[in-house]
Amino acid sequence: MSKPKIAFFDFAGCEGDQLTVVNLEEALLDVLEHVEIVSFREAMKEHSDDYDIAFIEGSCTRVADEARLKDIRKNAKIVVAIGACATSGGINALKNIRPLETVRKEVYGENWKDYDTYRARGIGEVIDVDYKVYGCPMTQSEFVKVVKSLLTGTQPDIPNYPMCVDCKQAGNVCVFEKGQTCVGPITRAGCDACCVTEGATCWGCRGLVNDPNVDAHKEVLEKYNLSVDELTKRMATYFTNELPKG
Amino acid sequence: MATAMNDKSLYAPVIATIEEAKMLTTTEKYFKLKLNNGNELGHKPGQFVEVSVLGIGEAPISISSSPTQKGYFELVVRNAGNVTGALHKLEAGSTVGIRGPFGTNFPYEETKGRDILFVAGGLGLAPARSFINYVLDNRGDYKDVTILFGAKSPTERFFTDELKKISEMKDVNLLETVDNGDASWTGNTGVITTLFSKINPNPNTTSCVVVGPPIMYKFVIAEAKKKDITDDNIIVSLERNMKCGVGKCGHCQINNLYCCQDGPVFTLAEVGQIPEAF
Amino acid sequence: MSNGNLNIDIHYVTRVEGHGNIVVNAKDGNVENVQWQGPEAPRYFEAMVIGQKWDMLHHITSRICGICSIGHTSASVKATENAMGLKLSDQSELLRRLAIHAENLQSHVLHVGYLVLPDLVGVGSVIPLATSHPNEVKTVIKLHRIANQMSDLVCGRTIHPQRIIPGGFSKVPTIDELKGLKDTLLSAAPDLTAVGNLLKALAPKLPNFTRETEYVSLTDKNEYALYDGLLGSSLGDTAPITEYETWTNEFCVPQSTAKYTKRKQDSLMVGALARFNINHAQLTPNAKKYAEEIGLVAPCYNTFMNTVAQFVECIYMVDDSVRIIDELLHRGIKEETVEVKPKAGRGIGVVDVPRGILIHDYTYDDDGVCTKANCIIPTNQNHNNIQRDMEALVPQIVNKPQAEVELLLEMLVRAYDPCISCSTHYLKVNFNNK
Amino acid sequence: MTAKTLSKENFKKFAENLVKSERTIGVKAKETKYEFGNINNADEIVMDYDVTLRSPRTFFQPPKEKLFDFKLGANTEIKPNIEADPFVLLGIHSYDLKALNQMDIIWDENNADQHYKARRNAATVIALEPTQASEWSFWGSMDSSTVDKGYDLLLTDIGNKYYVEVGTEKGANLLSKYASAEDATNDDNTARDKVRSELPNLCKADRKVKCDTDGITASMKNSYNNAIWEKLAEKCYSCGSCNLVCPTCYCFDVKDTIELDLATGQRTRKWDGCLLEPFAKVAGDENFRENRADRFRHRILRKTVYVADKLNGELACVGCGRCSSTCLPDITDPVKILNELCS
Ligand SMILES: Cc1cc2nc3c(=O)[nH]c(=O)nc-3n(C[C@H](O)[C@H](O)[C@H](O)COP(=O)(O)OP(=O)(O)OC[C@H]3O[C@@H](n4cnc5c(N)ncnc54)[C@H](O)[C@@H]3O)c2cc1C
Ligand code: SF4
Ligand code: SF4
Ligand code: SF4
């Protein structure tokens, strides 16, 4: 069997997910035993449009990106969205919570119209996506897991339960016990709650778990003295495009 | 005690080789297997094994062959996900991991001398077959034997050669139906419960064995009850999520019962009142 | 030979962060058009943070760039700290410096080893290098991994760090971890030498191109400035960071979503070469020795030597990290709690990150909610210099075959190690030079 | 068996010797809380803690545990991983030991789990009667303030010394090897009895289960269709925190991982929880406990009815209060639920 050809693409994002791939170090060489990378702008000059699997990082933030995305979809047998920006709009979607014109004028002043942009969205809103690797950035282990799934033709086992599970398994003190708040109880697990383990709180970068109990969490956050505005902002950091409207 | 077990760990399988593999329908594949250590599996009709494709995972699969067949055992696997999908890619000569046999069995001893009514829906024929074939191989031990088999469509019927043979047997009453027929189909159409109007089991002497998809039970049980078959004599085989097969992982619990240990074969008397059973 | 006819349209320079295009047209040796374009999708960070609370800003602005996320986080928390009058403990100051070293080291090794070396060896990426130069590639990987381990240990993660918070650190490494890190860094000496020797052997392949320009970096009388200092110029003057706006006059140009900058001269350059030119005297002996051996002498006006300057800094950063760790070990490490009482004010945070000076400038209201933000990104300061360099370089090479010209221009861009996706957002807008 | 005493000073020496020579797991501070962990220095040990974040089951059924390694190929190899490095578990509170005793039964019945048993046999258990109760503890109401089996040594703080009940030969040997203990006197016995009798009162007055433990199972059996489950579960995150911190939860998930060589790998098991949405799901997306309320009820009934059945009627809630404290919406507290449902 010939090696599947893979390509990396990026849209609006910080390239942290592609860096995560580079950071695989020796494991990347192991991956290369099984796949052929035909396009990876961040790391190589060669490029080919003949690929089987496309890994796409970043959000779609302007009409012009849509055509490029559709081309990639046409060329690829399998499209994998990597990182929060691509799976849900990620941090980029924060700009969606304020009026677009205000946002554009704040940054580019009177020239704001010269710089094309629209509501930041995950690429799944533009093209069909076969797999999603969540996280900001995605974790190395989940990326490798998905690669192995692609190689073995199975569905990767991506958790569908809240971050609290990872946190309890890691033995963390709940941030609520420390007078802080987080959105872990409605966030999809799978990162070993790394941010909480490192002394921060869960910001929600892996997106909402399926069937999140958002109302219950709003109530809890209010109980912990978060103002409605703060609460909305906390939820907006990564959930803007995922939360039910209204 | 289970025979296909690693003596160091409950959870480590032993290796079995696929002697024969063939597609029965577009979604069901048949496997004939032999344990590499030469042991007989030694199962009873209705029991299941945990089948491993190492690196992918493990899935509980009912043993489809009767223990009267020696030297091998048979499975029928529907492609439903990762493990079953990986199994579908395997051909004769490949190896798989096996643990088992596990669980309770159909009451093949207790029902000797009685009439047996099998009601099998779709894939339910696979586990039912272990008992059906046992009965056929010990035909003298049982009285009237009736088999009701329902499939969604004619193309989803499997073991058709065997069904044909059975249909030719004088001492077995086989009734089939499909939910939706096609041009080739001349038999009954309609859901499996429609076959009940064609039979007349004796409630005092009949044991009714029901195996099929979760949705089927409620309706079939109601029909069996209408025929006055008692809860003791309605026997079901239930499916649950199972991760260990040995009563530890907790996934298969039906309220207080462990489907893998207390089941998968239950009488309605045991589970009829249990809210989570159906 | 191209006979002086060039039609170059490089759609996305590869092996750089973000999307950048090169367009060059020349006819019969006359250069008609030279353009460095930044078509990256704009991301509007300065607008995203408006209305956000002080404890969210570093998390959000970290996402400006995955490669220098430690730098962005550091600049961000420094801005918040300055706005709220928070003072860091000595321990936190040391750890912050270690964090910046970790990131600069990671980024430089990546740039020198994965992005530039292939050009010097004449291949398209590090992947064929892994076959042709397996030992060298393994050594580069090893150094890169050590840098990442250092980030993990100090910052909690390599990309988008979690431990760096306004006021200090939410978690600190243990003594044992620091001891282990020191051993690892010391054990990396032969690896640094090996990569250094390879670079020395290949350095003659770096084009000899000079264009005098102004260099800007942080500068400090006590140390080779990275984490803190004054704004300093190769023209000799310095200024407190509060004056950054007059040093980084930004202006919009139509070909780019990134803004351009200039100061006293037509353009300016920031980054490793700028730091070397301004602060070389404060390097460690090891770093100085290597610079001398490879022929990097200040002032150096050859942009291509930026890569060499980066490697000199790698040597410096390993040395200085060991020094910092020794100091931490000597002092002992303790968990510190940080209490922040938000208050209104404006704060500017600056660090010199892999690609140059990075500035975050926030204004907060009484509740610690951000009302105004400005982020000045190093690559953004370099765009104008890239354009000017190209304008100077193309006429010198206009008669070379097109492929060669393309390669040289790509190498030029790569020498800057640009971070294009992070350079696509500004707040303060001057349209004077439109 | 015999009873000894150890002055606090001698206990300190004992702990120091222990830490030097044996792999010792004890309680230490973690931020504002306590946790069990490897002790490298006797000074880290905390003996007057209230409760630990996670239960000691971590050391008998780790959060993630390799069951076996495998190697694919012409001759597939399977290598079970049984971990049995001896260790001393120091300072496990009575209620947690009661839970451990229950787990001994659960893991042993029908099919004995070799992985659990190996670790259990490798452990020397030095139990400790609590001197503090957390604000959520209610072991005083659950017959768990003391235990009468499962320990090698059992310590009771009787003021300036520990009363040491020797439970096994193993315990006796440990003591004689590392400590200079004295025989317990009649006064010591009296002091210890007094401390014991007052243990239940360490739990706060409002942390009492009002009904008799004997009646709980019967009452809970009758409450299957009570509206309480729906009402409380409305706020449930399905986060499983209540499962994961509980000393008597033992459910697990099993996963295969394959290395990038696609030839070697492991099968592991991982803590799971019946509150999690996918727990009872099967292929084809049929979920046998689809509603939050079904899952929520299942946990409480497991503790009070289903698992209790396997334990000769002993309740599988020992009153540690961990689930109560971990549940952010504050719906899962057994005290509130039992007091509402049991008459
Ligand atoms: C007692 C019993 C007998 C069975 N007999 C047969 C049979 O003869 N033929 C047949 O094709 N199928 C049978 N099944 C169903 C079969 O086990 C599932 O289809 C299979 O587990 C799906 O696993 P998968 O990895 O292919 O699917 P995935 O959806 O990828 O499975 C994901 C995970 O969920 C678990 N899971 C999903 N569905 C089930 C399920 N129904 N039961 C237990 N665990 C599940 C698996 O353990 C797996 O880890 C039986 C199930 C039980 C409980
Ligand atoms: S803990 Fe939360 S914010 Fe951090 S990586 Fe995981 S999902 Fe993202
Ligand atoms: S009861 Fe509480 S702790 Fe348990 S799953 Fe629900 S919300 Fe989580
Ligand atoms: S149910 Fe709650 S209180 Fe009871 S033992 Fe479990 S965690 Fe402790």
Side-chain angles (χ1 to χ4, degrees):
Chain A
M1 205 181 77
S2 69
K3 291 179 179 179
K5 297 190 179 78
I6 68 174
F8 288 86
F9 300 95
D10 49 59
F11 290 79
C14 76
E15 299 202 4
D17 301 290
Q18 290 180 78
L19 183 60
T20 301
V21 176
V22 173
N23 282 351
L24 285 172
E25 322 283 10
E26 282 91 346
L28 185 56
L29 300 180
D30 295 338
V31 171
L32 287 172
E33 296 283 313
H34 304 288
V35 301
E36 185 189 342
I37 302 183
V38 301
S39 186
F40 193 171
R41 191 195 41 71
E42 190 181 271
M44 61 191 267
K45 188 176 168 72
E46 297 84 352
H47 167 80
S48 157
D49 283 327
D50 173 22
Y51 45 84
D52 304 302
I53 304 166
F55 290 96
I56 305 180
E57 169 169 15
S59 311
C60 182
T61 61
R62 51 188 179 184
V63 182
D65 295 337
E66 292 191 6
R68 228 181 112 215
L69 277 168
K70 284 176 183 152
D71 276 347
I72 295 170
R73 180 70 260 188
K74 228 183 290 156
N75 288 338
K77 295 191 188 83
I78 295 170
V79 169
V80 187
I82 56 173
C85 293
T87 52
S88 71
I91 209 91
N92 296 322
L94 259 186
K95 91 169 199 278
N96 303 350
I97 65 175
R98 302 178 61 221
L100 194 56
E101 196 175 314
T102 315
V103 164
R104 293 174 73 178
K105 282 182 177 160
E106 259 166 17
V107 179
Y108 288 107
E110 64 193 34
N111 295 22
W112 63 279
K113 281 191 175 149
D114 290 355
Y115 301 92
D116 187 23
T117 194
Y118 67 9
R119 187 175 68 79
R121 57 202 76 196
I123 60 168
E125 286 192 47
V126 180
I127 56 171
D128 287 339
V129 170
D130 301 293
Y131 297 90
K132 291 180 176 177
V133 192
Y134 300 98
C136 182
M138 65 176 182
T139 64
Q140 291 185 0
S141 60
E142 197 160 285
F143 174 74
V144 171
K145 186 194 272 182
V146 169
V147 167
K148 287 190 286 199
S149 272
L150 290 167
L151 292 171
T152 53
T154 53
Q155 282 297 318
D157 140 58
I158 308 289
N160 177 26
Y161 44 74
M163 193 58 65
C164 302
V165 174
D166 283 6
C167 235
K168 296 297 167 306
Q169 302 217 352
N172 290 329
V173 177
C174 181
V175 302
F176 284 81
E177 297 254 20
K178 300 192 271 186
Q180 297 167 308
T181 62
C182 87
V183 294
I186 51 173
T187 300
R188 180 187 306 278
C191 60
D192 296 332
C194 57
C195 298
V196 184
T197 307
E198 291 304 341
T201 72
C202 176
W203 315 84
C205 81
R206 290 177 56 82
L208 288 174
V209 65
N210 298 0
D211 195 22
N213 201 336
V214 176
D215 290 339
H217 197 50
K218 283 187 178 159
E219 217 173 286
V220 165
L221 289 178
E222 276 175 52
K223 199 168 79 187
Y224 280 82
N225 288 328
L226 234 60
S227 71
V228 174
D229 183 54
E230 277 174 83
L231 189 156
T232 316
K233 293 258 164 56
R234 255 352 261 277
M235 297 270 193
T237 316
Y238 288 100
F239 303 152
T240 306
N241 287 340
E242 293 187 325
L243 281 171
K245 302 280 170 287
Chain B
M1 188 53 201
T3 54
M5 290 298 268
N6 182 304
D7 55 6
K8 292 221 180 60
S9 168
L10 268 183
Y11 309 101
V14 301
I15 306 296
T17 301
I18 300 175
E19 301 218 303
E20 196 185 329
K22 62 175 185 237
M23 293 304 289
L24 296 179
T25 70
T26 50
T27 48
E28 270 88 19
K29 192 163 184 175
Y30 159 93
F31 297 94
K32 182 174 168 188
L33 292 146
K34 197 177 167 152
L35 296 177
N36 282 16
N37 61 18
N39 289 350
E40 255 337 300
L41 185 60
H43 67 287
K44 296 171 180 164
Q47 286 192 296
F48 67 96
V49 283
E50 286 280 353
V51 184
S52 285
V53 181
L54 293 171
I56 311 288
E58 199 175 41
I61 302 291
S62 307
I63 303 153
S64 187
S65 51
S66 157
T68 43
Q69 280 162 341
K70 301 287 178 201
Y72 63 91
F73 60 100
E74 294 166 318
L75 308 174
V76 177
V77 178
R78 170 173 295 173
N79 186 347
N82 280 348
V83 177
T84 49
L87 277 168
H88 269 236
K89 289 186 197 149
L90 300 180
E91 297 300 340
S94 306
T95 55
V96 295
I98 295 287
R99 289 189 301 132
F102 295 133
T104 52
N105 49 273
F106 293 122
Y108 64 104
E109 291 289 354
E110 298 85 331
T111 52
K112 284 190 174 151
R114 292 176 58 85
D115 302 333
I116 316 255
L117 168 60
F118 291 100
V119 186
L123 190 54
L125 182 62
R129 177 175 173 264
S130 66
F131 192 12
I132 292 172
N133 285 352
Y134 184 89
V135 170
L136 297 181
D137 288 342
N138 298 282
R139 187 63 191 86
D141 290 348
Y142 301 88
K143 285 167 66 192
D144 290 356
V145 176
T146 309
I147 302 171
L148 310 184
F149 174 50
K152 275 204 192 115
S153 69
T155 54
E156 289 177 45
R157 293 170 68 240
F158 55 95
F159 288 133
T160 45
D161 293 354
E162 293 181 22
L163 288 170
K164 185 154 181 290
K165 258 193 226 146
I166 294 173
S167 72
E168 288 158 3
M169 291 178 185
K170 296 266 156 6
D171 53 358
V172 179
N173 181 19
L174 171 69
L175 294 172
E176 283 198 69
T177 183
V178 297
D179 295 357
N180 303 298
D182 60 17
S184 71
W185 184 250
T186 55
N188 293 304
T189 54
V191 291
I192 196 159
T193 42
T194 57
L195 296 176
F196 274 82
S197 62
K198 300 181 197 295
I199 56 169
N200 214 346
N202 177 344
N204 297 323
T205 55
T206 300
S207 291
C208 175
V209 175
V210 188
V211 202
I215 165 100
M216 190 189 92
Y217 288 95
K218 240 196 276 170
F219 299 104
V220 170
I221 288 168
E223 292 296 329
K225 287 189 163 200
K226 268 192 231 156
K227 302 279 180 193
D228 292 325
I229 301 174
T230 59
D231 287 6
D232 277 349
N233 289 310
I234 299 176
I235 295 126
V236 295
S237 176
L238 300 181
E239 182 186 342
R240 284 297 183 277
N241 184 323
M242 285 178 191
K243 301 291 180 186
C244 75
V246 291
K248 304 292 183 208
C249 78
H251 282 266
C252 71
Q253 258 189 295
I254 305 171
N255 296 111
N256 59 322
L257 299 175
Y258 276 75
C259 187
C260 69
Q261 294 274 298
D262 306 315
V265 177
F266 297 98
T267 64
L268 191 59
E270 289 171 300
V271 293
Q273 298 311 310
I274 299 215
E276 287 182 352
F278 299 104
Chain C
M1 281 290 138
S2 69
N3 300 325
N5 289 319
L6 295 173
N7 275 304
I8 294 177
D9 183 2
I10 301 174
H11 205 63
Y12 304 152
V13 177
T14 57
R15 302 210 311 275
V16 297
E17 201 278 354
H19 295 91
N21 299 343
I22 300 172
V23 177
V24 173
N25 304 103
K27 211 167 176 177
D28 302 331
N30 290 321
V31 181
E32 292 173 343
N33 180 27
V34 175
Q35 264 192 25
W36 164 239
Q37 303 176 337
E40 191 77 27
R43 295 174 69 206
Y44 300 89
F45 271 95
E46 290 92 340
M48 284 182 209
V49 295
I50 304 288
Q52 297 283 352
K53 276 193 76 174
W54 63 274
D55 58 353
M56 292 296 295
L57 262 75
H58 64 289
H59 181 88
I60 297 169
T61 54
S62 169
R63 269 71 189 169
I64 292 174
C65 177
I67 296 181
C68 33
S69 58
I70 295 176
H72 279 285
T73 305
S74 302
S76 178
V77 294
K78 280 178 87 175
T80 302
E81 284 154 3
N82 287 338
M84 310 209 165
L86 295 173
K87 222 186 121 25
L88 285 195
S89 69
D90 292 348
Q91 172 179 303
S92 292
E93 286 268 349
L94 287 166
L95 285 169
R96 290 274 178 90
R97 283 177 161 75
L98 205 52
I100 290 293
H101 280 350
E103 176 174 88
N104 280 356
L105 190 60
Q106 182 278 130
S107 179
H108 283 359
V109 170
L110 178 88
H111 186 241
V112 176
Y114 292 178
L115 308 183
V116 174
L117 270 188
D119 278 337
L120 300 182
V121 178
V123 294
S125 77
V126 72
I127 297 171
L129 269 192
T131 323
S132 63
H133 296 68
N135 290 334
E136 285 82 355
V137 169
K138 287 216 174 94
T139 312
V140 169
I141 287 178
K142 186 172 164 199
L143 288 173
H144 193 237
R145 196 185 42 235
I146 289 174
N148 278 335
Q149 282 168 352
M150 188 157 145
S151 303
D152 278 341
L153 210 120
V154 181
C155 311
R157 301 201 309 195
T158 38
I159 305 171
H160 304 319
Q162 291 297 317
R163 293 184 181 182
I164 300 174
I165 54 168
F169 281 80
S170 62
K171 192 173 172 183
V172 293
T174 64
I175 290 285
D176 284 346
E177 286 171 336
L178 285 174
K179 281 185 184 152
L181 178 60
K182 180 183 164 185
D183 290 345
T184 310
L185 286 169
L186 291 176
S187 76
D191 304 306
L192 269 179
T193 309
V195 177
N197 287 341
L198 179 66
L199 189 62
K200 252 189 246 165
L202 295 169
K205 295 199 178 169
L206 290 168
N208 189 2
F209 160 76
T210 54
R211 181 181 75 85
E212 271 196 44
T213 190
E214 179 178 359
Y215 294 94
V216 172
S217 77
L218 288 185
T219 186
D220 186 275
K221 60 182 190 312
N222 297 321
E223 63 180 356
Y224 187 87
L226 289 166
Y227 181 68
D228 222 344
L230 298 170
L231 295 167
S233 162
S234 55
L235 303 177
D237 50 340
T238 61
I241 55 160
T242 44
E243 285 175 31
Y244 79 87
E245 278 154 309
T246 59
W247 280 56
T248 60
N249 304 291
E250 291 193 311
F251 56 97
C252 290
V253 292
Q255 78 250 33
S256 173
T257 44
K259 269 184 57 190
Y260 279 38
T261 54
K262 61 185 222 157
R263 196 177 84 100
K264 286 195 170 165
Q265 298 188 343
D266 282 347
S267 63
L268 60 85
M269 179 172 177
V270 296
L273 186 60
R275 290 189 291 257
F276 176 83
N277 278 338
I278 296 169
N279 301 322
H280 58 92
Q282 289 155 306
L283 288 167
T284 54
N286 282 334
K288 282 183 185 159
K289 180 160 167 275
Y290 182 81
E292 200 183 305
E293 284 167 9
I294 200 169
L296 179 66
V297 184
C300 168
Y301 293 113
N302 181 355
T303 302
F304 289 93
M305 291 298 275
N306 191 45
T307 305
V308 171
Q310 286 184 332
F311 194 76
V312 170
E313 288 195 332
C314 288
I315 297 172
Y316 163 74
M317 287 178 301
V318 169
D319 287 348
D320 198 52
S321 298
V322 172
R323 178 193 65 79
I324 294 173
I325 294 170
D326 277 336
E327 198 171 331
L328 283 166
L329 290 175
H330 176 72
R331 304 163 40 93
I333 261 264
K334 59 174 191 293
E335 293 280 350
E336 299 171 328
T337 47
V338 178
E339 272 206 40
V340 179
K341 278 210 188 69
K343 67 172 209 223
R346 177 178 172 199
I348 300 168
V350 59
V351 277
D352 220 322
V353 294
R355 292 155 191 84
I357 297 190
L358 169 65
I359 302 153
H360 284 219
D361 174 1
Y362 307 147
T363 307
Y364 288 108
D365 70 10
D366 289 332
D367 299 324
V369 172
C370 179
T371 55
K372 198 168 173 227
N374 186 13
C375 303
I376 306 282
I377 276 82
T379 295
N380 179 31
Q381 299 163 63
N382 278 335
H383 279 315
N384 196 16
N385 213 57
I386 299 178
Q387 172 74 25
R388 304 284 166 155
D389 268 0
M390 281 188 183
E391 287 166 11
L393 178 61
V394 172
Q396 294 178 19
I397 57 177
V398 67
N399 288 319
K400 289 184 187 278
Q402 173 150 330
E404 205 174 309
V405 177
E406 284 184 0
L407 178 65
L408 283 168
L409 291 176
E410 284 192 71
M411 283 172 69
L412 176 73
V413 170
R414 251 173 236 137
Y416 281 88
D417 189 10
C419 213
I420 306 166
S421 56
C422 78
S423 63
T424 53
H425 30 78
Y426 328 85
L427 185 67
K428 179 81 178 47
V429 187
N430 299 315
F431 296 95
N432 42 3
N433 268 306
K434 180 79 209 286
Chain D
M1 273 203 144
T2 50
K4 301 268 182 185
T5 60
L6 259 183
S7 71
K8 294 261 163 104
E9 255 157 67
N10 280 341
F11 172 78
K12 185 130 202 283
K13 283 191 200 123
F14 169 62
E16 278 162 8
N17 292 338
L18 206 60
V19 168
K20 249 182 262 154
S21 328
E22 311 279 336
R23 182 159 77 100
T24 306
I25 287 157
V27 177
K28 46 189 184 179
K30 169 145 187 172
E31 298 169 40
T32 52
K33 304 275 157 184
Y34 303 99
E35 66 164 3
F36 281 99
N38 275 319
I39 305 286
N40 299 317
N41 177 345
D43 292 339
E44 293 175 289
I45 300 171
V46 183
M47 292 293 277
D48 58 350
Y49 70 98
D50 51 4
V51 66
T52 55
L53 281 168
R54 294 186 296 182
S55 84
R57 85 148 145 152
T58 319
F59 305 96
F60 302 97
Q61 184 201 359
K64 216 182 224 161
E65 175 184 10
K66 182 164 78 179
L67 295 171
F68 59 81
D69 288 294
F70 63 81
K71 194 166 157 203
L72 303 177
N75 277 316
T76 303
E77 283 169 38
I78 293 174
K79 235 171 74 199
N81 174 55
I82 307 283
E83 282 165 21
D85 281 354
F87 67 100
V88 176
L89 181 60
L90 171 65
I92 163 173
H93 275 168
S94 322
Y95 50 85
D96 276 340
L97 181 55
K98 180 178 173 190
L100 186 61
N101 289 337
Q102 296 184 349
M103 291 306 100
D104 287 347
I105 298 172
I106 297 288
W107 289 103
D108 200 37
E109 61 158 23
N110 297 334
N111 304 294
D113 181 294
Q114 302 97 330
H115 303 263
Y116 176 89
K117 284 192 86 169
R119 282 204 196 77
R120 186 65 180 88
N121 291 335
T124 306
V125 174
I126 306 179
L128 172 69
E129 298 194 318
T131 55
Q132 304 272 334
S134 83
E135 65 171 303
W136 296 98
S137 304
F138 59 102
W139 34 261
S141 304
M142 302 305 277
D143 301 333
S144 344
S145 35
T146 57
V147 271
D148 55 12
K149 60 170 192 274
Y151 52 82
D152 297 290
L153 296 173
L154 172 64
L155 309 182
T156 311
D157 188 333
I158 53 168
N160 55 356
K161 52 187 165 183
Y162 286 106
Y163 186 95
V164 186
E165 197 168 296
V166 180
T168 62
E169 200 73 36
K170 206 161 145 187
N173 290 341
L174 199 76
L175 201 61
S176 62
K177 197 164 165 196
Y178 298 120
S180 42
E182 286 161 39
D183 289 337
T185 63
N186 275 341
D187 284 355
D188 294 329
N189 293 340
T190 317
R192 197 264 193 137
D193 288 345
K194 186 161 177 297
V195 169
R196 269 199 161 180
S197 66
E198 280 166 11
L199 280 176
N201 302 329
L202 286 175
C203 296
K204 283 173 42 185
D206 61 356
R207 299 299 294 162
K208 283 214 164 67
V209 176
K210 299 203 178 74
C211 42
D212 197 348
T213 45
D214 293 340
I216 289 178
T217 302
S219 310
M220 295 308 283
K221 274 185 179 153
N222 286 331
S223 61
Y224 196 86
N225 293 317
N226 197 294
I228 191 174
W229 310 119
E230 285 287 351
K231 190 186 84 191
L232 292 176
E234 210 171 275
K235 293 187 188 160
C236 176
Y237 291 137
S238 299
C239 73
S241 294
C242 47
N243 292 129
L244 301 170
V245 296
C246 179
T248 67
C249 270
Y250 56 90
C251 291
F252 58 86
D253 193 3
V254 179
K255 293 266 147 79
D256 279 20
T257 39
I258 191 152
E259 301 300 330
L260 269 168
D261 60 11
L262 302 184
T264 55
Q266 307 101 39
R267 182 164 293 170
T268 47
R269 72 172 157 201
K270 208 178 130 195
W271 288 357
D272 207 339
C274 59
L275 269 292
L276 304 179
E277 193 268 344
F279 190 81
K281 222 180 197 163
V282 298
D285 273 355
E286 173 91 26
N287 191 339
F288 292 97
R289 271 190 293 281
E290 192 166 9
N291 300 322
R292 291 179 201 282
D294 295 344
R295 300 194 291 272
F296 184 80
R297 172 180 55 204
H298 186 71
R299 184 181 87 90
I300 300 290
L301 291 189
R302 245 177 93 85
K303 303 294 163 199
T304 53
V305 183
Y306 309 154
V307 180
D309 263 1
K310 292 170 171 268
L311 302 169
N312 293 321
E314 193 173 290
L315 295 175
C317 170
V318 296
C320 71
R322 289 185 178 95
C323 60
S324 325
S325 75
T326 202
C327 180
L328 285 173
D330 191 10
I331 51 174
T332 202
D333 180 19
V335 175
K336 277 185 220 133
I337 295 174
L338 293 180
N339 283 344
E340 189 160 338
L341 292 179
C342 300
S343 36

